[in-house]
Amino acid sequence: MSSSDRTKSRIKPQWPIRLLTIATSVYLAFCFTPSLARPAGSSESPRPDEPAMASRVQVPEPTPAAVDYHYSGLTLWFLRQFWVIAVPMVWIASRASERIRSRLPSRSAFSLSLCFALSYYTITSLVNLPWSFYLGFVRAHDYGLSTQPIGDFVADELKSTALSLALFVAVVTGLYVVIRRWPQRWWIAAGLAVLPLMLVLALIVPVWVDPLFHEYGSMSDQALEAQIVALAERAGVDGSRVYEVDMSRETRALNAYVTGLLDTKRIVLWDTLLARLQADEVLAVMAHEIGHYALGHVLQGLAVAAGLTFLGLAFVAAAIRQVIPRFTGRFGISRLDDPASLPVLILLAQLASFALTPVGYAFSRHIEHEADRFALEITHDNHAAARAFVALQRENLGFPRPSMLHTFFRSTHPSLGERIDFCNSYRPWSQNQPSRYAALFRSPPPAQSSAAAATLAEPR
């Protein structure tokens, strides 16, 4: 053995150790890097010019269960990042792609791509089954967040898998059609198709997909529904439908969201949220969701997601030109238009996603913050909004002030601590300053009497 070979043999075994050391260091940084927000337990003192009626809501300390849920979730997230990289790498290194492709019917390139996509998704779903079952059922039940019977969980998983399989096969088969048609510029054509596909899905999912999993109906509290519709009309959002979904049969968590476009747009409230929040808290949550529509956040989010996907495809296209020649002969993958290259595409896409997802999350936190601002400006009910966030923290095992790295890589919303702080401090109208979104309102917020404000309930 030459001296250079001996040197390589000594160096190579060190790389797994170095990688593990780096991963461990990053994990510890995630856990212990302080948040940019004020530390838990701190609170601002009211400014002298703030009205006395504006009683402040304290950010509660997380419960022991919430702390454990947060840190165990962080560990699982790290393991998941390794897992989604390891699975396609095993496909490549074991030459499973080559063997499966060679056994599939090859009457045409189209049918070969379709059959390989079907095989890949089916096998990978079976490999991922323990993850799906633990995260979706066992963990949620262990922490008391889920009440769903095992039969209902299995039924939902089967429906979800069938829909995901159909979409995956359609997208992958179409992608290989594009690769064969434009071998050098395939990523441009694929990237341009992303936004139309997202728009179609945004239109059909609320009407055709969501009802397969849950029952959507009108609100049981008709008076509260009328207040929500009136709030939407004041915000200039006409034609909004408000739906109550029966989630109490499967979860204790609270949630509300907006979905759909044009005639399919709707505001959805879980019945668990309606059961545990007071009426003014529900209105504060609804003002936030209405703000998403009034500010055009749905379309903006789709555009940003499509743009990031386009960038990710550009990275994959540039990287795979270097990767495929290295795989020729070693792993049985010699051409990009060979369906056996799918694990390579997925591996590179996962790496691109890891790098670009924080950008999308940063945009998401921005629009969520602006929706919070919109809600406060249209209701002037800061106390109710803050109490709603306290309830969300309590019921959803929220961790109010995560680390900066956690926020950067995992958070689509500002932390609950930041949101409660914002509710406590944001009152430009109390200082005769202009509100950012007042021009969008068809009528001013209703005045709150000092007597009513003084009797607001403290956080439960």
Side-chain angles (χ1 to χ4, degrees):
M1 180 184 291
S2 67
S3 60
S4 62
D5 289 338
R6 287 194 297 270
T7 301
K8 290 179 181 178
S9 67
R10 288 195 300 269
I11 292 175
K12 286 182 178 179
Q14 295 178 7
W15 281 106
I17 298 175
R18 292 178 180 176
L19 182 60
L20 180 60
T21 301
I22 293 171
T24 302
S25 300
V26 174
Y27 174 77
L28 293 174
F30 260 79
C31 293
F32 299 113
T33 300
S35 170
L36 284 173
R38 287 184 301 279
S42 67
S43 62
E44 291 181 337
S45 298
R47 294 191 301 266
D49 55 349
E50 283 187 349
M53 60 170 279
S55 56
R56 306 180 65 79
V57 175
Q58 297 297 318
V59 178
E61 295 286 348
T63 64
V67 172
D68 186 65
Y69 186 73
H70 173 78
Y71 285 109
S72 62
L74 179 59
T75 301
L76 290 170
W77 180 84
F78 264 95
L79 293 174
R80 184 67 175 169
Q81 303 315 301
F82 283 106
W83 183 262
V84 297
I85 296 297
V87 169
M89 288 183 67
V90 170
W91 272 84
I92 297 166
S94 66
R95 301 183 73 132
S97 290
E98 179 192 19
R99 289 196 292 270
I100 290 175
R101 184 249 292 131
S102 65
R103 288 169 172 77
L104 292 174
S106 56
R107 298 174 183 173
S108 67
F110 180 86
S111 65
L112 183 62
S113 301
L114 188 150
C115 291
F116 188 88
L118 180 63
S119 302
Y120 182 90
Y121 190 89
T122 302
I123 295 171
T124 304
S125 294
L126 291 174
V127 171
N128 288 332
L129 188 59
W131 272 105
S132 301
F133 180 70
Y134 177 76
L135 294 176
F137 187 82
V138 176
R139 177 171 159 83
H141 279 77
D142 284 347
Y143 284 94
L145 292 174
S146 178
T147 58
Q148 188 177 32
I150 183 66
D152 290 350
F153 173 80
V154 171
D156 284 349
E157 284 296 301
L158 290 174
K159 288 184 284 187
S160 177
T161 300
L163 291 170
S164 299
L165 173 62
L167 181 62
F168 181 85
V169 170
V171 169
V172 169
T173 305
L175 177 62
Y176 277 97
V177 169
V178 171
I179 289 173
R180 290 189 293 271
R181 177 66 178 83
W182 297 285
Q184 300 300 319
R185 298 289 182 265
W186 62 269
W187 60 276
I188 297 177
L192 292 175
V194 169
L195 184 56
L197 176 61
M198 289 182 173
L199 290 172
V200 170
L201 291 175
L203 285 169
I204 67 174
V205 165
V207 177
W208 300 103
V209 177
D210 290 345
L212 296 175
F213 298 90
H214 305 112
E215 295 182 7
Y216 291 79
S218 58
M219 288 182 59
S220 54
D221 189 336
Q222 297 296 309
L224 183 56
E225 181 179 12
Q227 289 180 279
I228 295 171
V229 171
L231 186 64
E233 291 175 350
R234 282 185 50 226
V237 180
D238 297 319
S240 297
R241 301 186 185 97
V242 182
Y243 290 87
E244 179 179 336
V245 58
D246 179 15
M247 292 296 295
S248 56
R249 61 177 181 171
E250 62 183 70
T251 184
R252 298 181 184 278
L254 313 184
N255 197 19
Y257 59 90
V258 296
T259 185
L261 292 171
L262 303 176
D263 290 341
T264 67
K265 67 182 180 184
R266 56 192 61 192
I267 300 170
V268 179
L269 302 92
W270 289 7
D271 62 341
T272 51
L273 182 139
L274 292 170
R276 295 189 180 95
L277 264 61
Q278 299 175 16
D280 58 346
E281 296 168 352
V282 172
L283 287 173
V285 172
M286 287 298 95
H288 169 97
E289 302 303 336
I290 291 167
H292 283 307
Y293 274 127
L295 300 176
H297 288 165
V298 177
L299 285 174
Q300 291 174 29
L302 291 175
V304 169
L308 292 175
T309 303
F310 193 89
L311 290 176
L313 288 169
F315 164 81
V316 171
I320 207 164
R321 294 191 191 101
Q322 307 299 320
V323 170
I324 288 294
R326 299 174 184 271
F327 285 180
T328 301
R330 180 182 298 179
F331 301 117
I333 303 169
S334 58
R335 304 187 324 274
L336 179 57
D337 61 354
D338 180 358
S341 67
L342 179 61
V344 184
L345 285 169
I346 290 176
L347 173 61
L348 294 174
Q350 293 288 0
L351 295 174
S353 175
F354 184 81
L356 293 173
T357 293
V359 179
Y361 283 0
F363 175 77
S364 177
R365 290 194 298 273
H366 165 71
I367 62 175
E368 293 296 337
H369 178 68
E370 291 308 305
D372 285 347
R373 187 194 309 275
F374 182 96
L376 296 179
E377 290 185 355
I378 198 171
T379 63
H380 286 192
D381 200 346
N382 300 56
H383 200 278
R387 285 187 282 116
F389 288 133
V390 169
L392 289 173
Q393 176 180 326
R394 179 185 66 243
E395 301 295 340
N396 295 352
L397 296 183
F399 193 85
R401 301 194 190 276
S403 70
M404 292 184 291
L405 283 175
H406 183 282
T407 299
F408 183 76
F409 280 102
R410 298 195 62 197
S411 298
T412 58
H413 291 60
S415 71
L416 288 168
E418 291 176 281
R419 300 176 85 176
I420 295 171
D421 291 340
F422 184 67
C423 292
N424 283 331
S425 62
Y426 184 73
R427 291 183 181 83
W429 53 87
S430 69
Q431 304 171 48
N432 296 320
Q433 295 178 355
S435 297
R436 181 171 300 183
Y437 300 119
L440 300 178
F441 307 151
R442 291 176 177 172
S443 60
Q448 288 189 347
S449 69
S450 58
T455 57
L456 285 173
E458 289 302 315
R460 292 174 292 175

